[in-house]
Amino acid sequence: MSGNHIRGISATLSLLDENLCEFEQWANGHEVRSVLYEVRNTLSGVQRQEIAKRVAKMQRLLREVRDALSLEGTVRSVDRMIVASCAIQWSSLVELESNRLRRYGEVPPTLAQYLDPVLTVLDDDLRAISKTVLQSERRLSLEPE
């Protein structure tokens, strides 16, 4: 097999494994309840058991394939995931500014007066989160081993 074969197989199976981890969490009852985002776990007990059983079976098979083909998995670090998500959200928040919302029609002045300052605060906080992660990353790289 070529390196391209290995990389293609590894990437696809790593994404499958990532989804299986998420399925496993849901089989274990995981839910999320936040301010504007919610994930409701509507799976029945029978469904959860079946999913958990299938996930375990599939992960065993993935281990076999990994070992047989000497595949390397994907390692994702939370700090980089946070920084990347912040960057994506910055551009999304900019699109909510009143001058850009005009593409949907005239923006009421009261909406602009209310929303624009809120977006500034959200943007500042996202930048602070990203900065926190980047500072910690820099500090760790400077510490002697």
Side-chain angles (χ1 to χ4, degrees), residues 21 24 35 46 49 82 92 95:
C21 289
E24 184 177 41
V35 179
V46 171
Q49 288 174 348
I82 289 173
S92 295
E95 294 300 315

Side-chain angles (χ1 to χ4, degrees), residues 8-24 54-55 57-63 65 74:
I9 294 167
S10 290
T12 298
L13 295 181
S14 289
L15 288 173
L16 172 60
D17 194 27
E18 182 179 345
N19 286 136
L20 293 177
C21 289
E22 195 170 47
F23 298 169
E24 184 177 41
R54 294 284 177 175
V55 166
K57 177 185 173 205
M58 293 173 75
Q59 286 178 329
R60 281 192 300 275
L61 185 55
L62 288 177
R63 270 188 215 91
V65 172
T74 302

Side-chain angles (χ1 to χ4, degrees), residues 89-144:
Q89 291 305 318
W90 291 324
S91 63
S92 295
L93 287 176
V94 165
E95 294 300 315
L96 294 179
E97 292 173 349
S98 60
N99 62 334
R100 294 180 190 254
L101 281 178
R102 288 191 181 112
R103 68 182 174 273
Y104 300 116
E106 190 59 36
V107 177
T110 54
L111 176 60
Q113 292 168 352
Y114 173 74
L115 191 56
D116 286 348
V118 169
L119 294 172
T120 299
V121 172
L122 292 172
D123 181 74
D124 290 347
D125 286 336
L126 276 175
R127 290 181 188 281
I129 289 170
S130 184
K131 184 178 177 183
T132 298
V133 170
L134 291 171
Q135 284 177 339
S136 296
E137 189 176 271
R138 262 188 238 114
R139 189 176 58 247
L140 289 174
S141 67
L142 296 175
E143 291 178 1

Side-chain angles (χ1 to χ4, degrees), residues 65-98:
V65 172
R66 178 199 63 196
D67 295 344
L69 301 179
S70 300
L71 301 177
E72 292 184 22
T74 302
V75 177
R76 297 174 66 191
S77 62
V78 170
D79 56 347
R80 293 190 181 175
M81 291 170 65
I82 289 173
V83 170
S85 291
C86 286
I88 291 167
Q89 291 305 318
W90 291 324
S91 63
S92 295
L93 287 176
V94 165
E95 294 300 315
L96 294 179
E97 292 173 349
S98 60

